[in-house]
Amino acid sequence: YILAMKCMSMRLAESKDEEDIIFLIKNLKLSKKEDVFDIIEKYYPRKHIPPKPQYAIEEFFERLSLK
């Protein structure tokens, strides 16, 4: 639930959201961006996920080679 909330409320660069999300992805041992979206969709409909978290999650997996 915390991962879903962090993704949905992602703030600008001055927050710790990005760091927290990456920490949660690693500690939950999520290996694909789809795994993150599956968790978010347990609490929020896909159509309500703003573009910012969608792009950020994709970038996290590309940048950190978490694919």
Side-chain angles (χ1 to χ4, degrees):
Y1 180 69
I2 293 172
L3 176 60
M5 287 181 49
K6 278 286 188 180
C7 290
M8 291 295 288
S9 67
M10 188 177 295
R11 293 168 284 179
L12 299 175
E14 294 181 11
S15 76
K16 282 187 53 186
D17 289 335
E18 181 177 326
E19 181 181 324
D20 292 343
I21 291 167
I22 292 171
F23 172 82
L24 291 166
I25 289 170
K26 288 181 177 181
N27 281 283
L28 292 170
K29 296 179 175 54
L30 303 175
S31 59
K32 301 178 293 196
K33 61 186 175 192
E34 291 80 13
D35 297 336
V36 178
F37 290 118
D38 288 345
I39 290 172
I40 296 171
E41 290 174 8
K42 287 182 182 179
Y43 305 100
Y44 303 97
R46 179 73 177 217
K47 65 182 179 182
H48 291 175
I49 302 173
K52 183 177 181 177
Q54 291 183 39
Y55 294 129
I57 292 164
E58 291 174 7
E59 180 196 328
F60 297 158
F61 278 87
E62 289 175 14
R63 190 176 71 213
L64 300 174
S65 297
L66 294 174
K67 302 174 187 174

